[in-house]
Amino acid sequence: MTQYVSRLSRRAAQPRLRLPGGGRRPRRVAMLSVHTSPLHQPGTGDAGGMNVYIVELAKRLAAINVEVEIFTRATTGTLPPTVELAPGVLVRHVDAGPYEGLAKEELPAQLCAFTHGVMQAWAGHRPGHYDLVHSHYWLSGHVGWLAAQRWGVPLVHAMHTMAKVKNAALAEGDTPEPAARVIGETQVVDAADRLIANTSGEADELIRHYAADPGKVAVVHPGVNLDLFRVDADRPGLADPRAVPESRAAARHRLGLPQDALVPLFAGRIQPLKAPDVLLHAVAVLLEERPDLRSRLVVPVVGGPSGSGMAQPERLQKLAARLGICDVVWFRPPVGQEQLADWFRAASLLVMPSYSESFGLVAIEAQATGTPVLAARVGGLPVAVRDEVTGFLVDGHDPADYARRLARFADDPSLADRMGAAAARHAQSFGWDTAASGTADVYTAAVQEHRRHVRSHHG
């Protein structure tokens, strides 16, 4: 911690970077992630793409001299108050409510305690310690709104998911988001100086559903760690047509998967919203029509129960048994990022039949490893996946439609290679450096406008 403080003071002594138009990048940002810690394993509980997003964005912001302190709720009593995640990135654990067994739906009652913890940390610093607040998800937005007002700095907010959008596309039997969340989101949208949307589609939803001021909404695509998620082959580059199949063969050998198998992979949180059941039903339809494929079909489901899926953690296993496909489905627990990259490489395709996705980060991660994606045409997935080029987009959630696409991969083994090579090239434009640079530009604009507003108010 001492090293971190000395580095902070050294960096604070540096002149702030001036940008075109006289703007200055903020030196230090308070990033808020109330309901999920950037230190948690993605694919478990409420941890998913947002965790990856916060970790990667914070690291890349620090690399361009924007210090980041991430405030998150402490989930065990053994956690140290602060953890240095990377040079220039500090995670602060805030005590708010019981450490374990608190569902996301119960967190609104802990926002006062969390806000108190954030204010306590701030009180130990000189005035002006944070130049900006960046909150993630609506719960953090409420804390961010209060903190930004108290500190006299702008609030930048990222929704990640929206209640009105989720409720408009609920999976059968899934629980709708409560009215309190809708009201809370509306208040945060109104309070934020800037809103960051993952795609132009999400920007339109903010404006249409939440009456966001179009001038406050900025589109910044999330990125992917291209050093980790990559085609892993001895070939010189993505242009070599042999790179993808070689990478896939090596990954299958490491994971114990048959080399000639058709491997449609599901990787993510097990909950109705992500629709892994659609994949299982599609596999059942495919095998009914094509029983000859059973001997060369392996369907890995990599992830853990989450959200409303926690109520019936064995639901998917029971469905596989009912459909008579237990022999082809491999259930695997969530894995770390490096092993996840190997699962992506090993797969013939990634299947994402989600009912709602603000972006669908795993779609880009899979494509970066040379694996095509079969996805529902929802949310940000049409941006992440180029239909008929890097994978297929399906309208709706009819298992027969997914089964038809799976059959195409079964009948043409070179399809996964061709689409995979195009997918790997497509993913190259989604580096985190680009995302961090775009986010820093949003910060700069928010700080400039906030200062202008303060000056005119006091003028």
Side-chain angles (χ1 to χ4, degrees):
M1 183 60 193
T2 313
Q3 288 177 322
Y4 181 80
V5 171
S6 65
R7 184 160 54 243
L8 278 186
S9 55
R10 278 203 309 276
R11 286 197 186 183
Q14 296 173 353
R16 295 198 210 182
L17 179 63
R18 283 191 171 274
L19 294 176
R24 285 197 184 101
R25 248 180 213 168
R27 291 164 313 175
R28 194 173 297 111
V29 170
M31 205 172 269
L32 306 179
S33 178
V34 173
H35 83 281
T36 176
S37 168
L39 304 178
H40 285 171
Q41 165 76 60
T44 58
D46 288 316
M50 193 176 102
N51 298 61
V52 176
Y53 180 107
I54 291 169
V55 168
E56 295 290 347
L57 179 64
K59 286 179 180 175
R60 304 306 163 108
L61 284 168
I64 54 173
N65 287 321
V66 180
E67 305 265 348
V68 180
E69 292 187 18
I70 305 168
F71 291 82
T72 192
R73 200 178 76 84
T75 49
T76 71
T78 56
L79 288 168
T82 56
V83 174
E84 185 176 357
L85 187 63
V89 182
L90 191 72
V91 176
R92 290 185 176 276
H93 291 118
V94 177
D95 286 328
Y99 292 126
E100 291 168 22
L102 203 61
K104 188 164 63 175
E105 294 71 29
E106 298 172 285
L107 284 174
Q110 303 302 332
L111 291 184
C112 281
F114 191 92
T115 305
H116 175 69
V118 172
M119 292 303 165
Q120 271 191 315
W122 171 73
H125 298 299
R126 292 194 311 276
H129 183 74
Y130 301 112
D131 298 309
L132 179 138
V133 178
H134 185 175
S135 52
H136 297 270
Y137 193 69
W138 76 279
L139 293 169
S140 303
H142 274 260
V143 180
W145 172 16
L146 291 166
Q149 278 194 333
R150 178 76 181 83
W151 302 342
V153 299
L155 171 66
V156 173
H157 181 71
M159 290 291 245
H160 292 280
T161 61
M162 290 176 259
K164 286 186 179 182
V165 175
K166 287 177 82 170
N167 286 348
L170 272 186
E172 192 179 333
D174 203 0
T175 315
E177 293 295 323
R181 177 176 170 183
V182 175
I183 294 163
E185 287 178 341
T186 305
Q187 291 170 331
V188 172
V189 167
D190 193 48
D193 294 87
R194 282 287 186 284
L195 295 156
I196 292 182
N198 288 326
T199 63
S200 55
E202 187 185 343
D204 291 343
E205 287 167 345
L206 277 164
I207 295 161
R208 188 167 73 250
H209 292 305
Y210 292 89
D213 174 355
K216 294 201 307 192
V217 183
V219 176
V220 180
H221 294 321
V224 60
N225 184 337
L226 296 170
D227 296 326
L228 184 59
F229 296 97
R230 64 183 190 281
V231 177
D232 205 3
D234 297 329
R235 299 289 159 187
L238 301 175
D240 193 313
R242 292 164 292 181
V244 167
E246 278 186 10
S247 173
R248 184 177 299 121
R252 287 188 177 189
H253 178 72
R254 287 190 291 270
L255 291 168
L257 285 160
Q259 289 295 337
D260 63 343
L262 172 65
V263 183
L265 165 72
F266 175 88
R269 288 174 286 157
I270 310 295
Q271 61 182 124
L273 175 76
K274 302 291 183 185
D277 56 303
V278 172
L279 170 58
L280 297 197
H281 280 289
V283 167
V285 170
L286 180 67
L287 289 178
E288 194 174 331
E289 293 172 356
R290 302 278 299 277
D292 57 298
L293 291 177
R294 189 178 283 269
S295 61
R296 62 183 190 94
L297 184 65
V298 177
V299 185
V301 176
V302 180
S306 172
S308 54
M310 301 282 266
Q312 298 172 286
E314 304 297 318
R315 180 172 163 266
L316 216 55
Q317 284 89 334
K318 288 176 180 171
L319 176 62
R322 208 161 59 245
L323 294 172
I325 57 172
C326 284
D327 55 322
V328 298
V329 182
W330 292 16
F331 288 101
R332 294 292 183 270
V335 294
Q337 295 277 282
E338 285 192 24
Q339 201 176 352
L340 181 62
D342 239 14
W343 277 108
F344 287 150
R345 288 184 198 105
S348 308
L349 67 155
L350 175 74
V351 186
M352 291 184 72
S354 308
Y355 284 88
S356 175
E357 287 284 353
S358 61
F359 186 68
L361 206 51
V362 289
I364 295 292
E365 290 173 346
Q367 288 175 94
T369 68
T371 297
V373 178
L374 170 58
R377 197 189 299 273
V378 298
L381 288 170
V383 174
V385 181
R386 291 182 63 201
D387 193 20
E388 304 276 345
V389 179
T390 71
F392 295 109
L393 294 170
V394 177
D395 293 308
H397 301 85
D398 184 344
D401 292 333
Y402 289 83
R404 257 195 306 281
R405 282 9 177 256
L406 291 176
R408 287 186 62 175
F409 285 96
D411 293 336
D412 181 2
S414 66
L415 180 62
D417 298 341
R418 291 197 309 274
M419 282 192 153
R425 288 192 293 272
H426 170 59
Q428 294 304 302
S429 60
F430 288 91
W432 273 113
D433 289 339
T434 310
S437 173
T439 302
D441 289 346
V442 175
Y443 289 172
T444 304
V447 168
Q448 273 185 283
E449 191 175 303
H450 190 265
R451 284 180 183 151
R452 274 200 305 271
H453 178 74
V454 169
R455 277 199 300 269
S456 65
H457 196 66
H458 293 291

